[in-house]
Amino acid sequence: MESKILTFLNMDFDVFMVVVCVVMTVLLITIFFLLLDYLKIRKRYMEFMTGESGKSLEYTIYKRFREIDELKVNQKDNDDQIAIIYNKVRRSYSKIGMYRYDAFNIENSLSGGTMSFVLTLLNSANDGFMINTIHNRAGCHVYMKEIKNGTCDLALAEEEVISLNMALEYEDENIEK
């Protein structure tokens, strides 16, 4: 008596048994690899849920949120400190112009050589001052002029104009270095 399945598949019983055995072997191998993957995932899950020292996941999350809150507070403090430093830097003298010259430009014993100089110091708003030191063998005279927005209300000597222009151009020349 032949089975309806074997007649439908048009197979002998021996061939059918070999095919069923091969399929069962492939299924068992597949189940074995799936079990290995399941065990790996379960192990990672348990480590994640318990933590390395047995702490709960809830405590770890709470701790991280607390650290984030502390970082936000510290960030606010850092921003305040940076604002203070920025304001101090804006007011500090960061542009420099210095020009040396011979004030009397004569070849006698009164000439001080190129010991005379003009020093200009400006902040980022081009406010500051200029010191002009005129030197000769008999003495030294120092003059100061106030600079507002890159200009001076008093008349400037040629050397003072050179020093002021050097200071005004100082930022462009030296920022990239």
Side-chain angles (χ1 to χ4, degrees), residues 69-95:
D69 291 341
E70 289 174 14
L71 287 174
K72 285 181 181 178
V73 169
N74 290 340
Q75 179 65 35
K76 174 78 169 101
D77 291 343
N78 288 344
D79 290 343
D80 294 342
Q81 294 288 334
I82 289 171
I84 291 169
I85 292 170
Y86 178 74
N87 286 332
K88 286 183 179 183
V89 167
R90 270 191 320 119
R91 291 184 309 221
S92 68
Y93 298 116
S94 58
K95 299 178 183 180

Side-chain angles (χ1 to χ4, degrees), residues 37-147:
D37 287 343
Y38 168 75
L39 292 175
K40 286 180 189 176
I41 291 173
R42 180 170 171 76
K43 180 181 175 188
R44 288 177 49 199
Y45 173 76
M46 293 308 288
E47 286 176 359
F48 177 72
M49 293 305 281
T50 59
E52 292 177 7
S53 62
K55 294 179 184 175
S56 70
L57 179 62
E58 182 181 351
Y59 175 74
T60 304
I61 291 173
Y62 172 74
K63 183 176 149 188
R64 295 294 181 229
F65 279 129
R66 192 174 57 207
E67 288 173 356
I68 290 171
D69 291 341
E70 289 174 14
L71 287 174
K72 285 181 181 178
V73 169
N74 290 340
Q75 179 65 35
K76 174 78 169 101
D77 291 343
N78 288 344
D79 290 343
D80 294 342
Q81 294 288 334
I82 289 171
I84 291 169
I85 292 170
Y86 178 74
N87 286 332
K88 286 183 179 183
V89 167
R90 270 191 320 119
R91 291 184 309 221
S92 68
Y93 298 116
S94 58
K95 299 178 183 180
I96 302 167
M98 185 165 169
Y99 181 72
R100 289 179 58 167
Y101 64 98
D102 183 0
F104 297 101
N105 205 13
I106 55 176
E107 304 254 344
N108 64 23
S109 62
L110 292 177
S111 176
T114 59
M115 298 295 291
S116 299
F117 67 91
V118 180
L119 174 65
T120 304
L121 298 175
L122 302 175
N123 63 15
S124 62
N126 293 330
D127 295 334
F129 60 93
M130 173 185 299
I131 294 177
N132 190 353
T133 302
I134 301 174
H135 179 78
N136 64 22
R137 292 194 183 259
C140 181
H141 302 280
V142 179
Y143 302 95
M144 185 185 90
K145 295 181 181 177
E146 186 177 16
I147 307 296

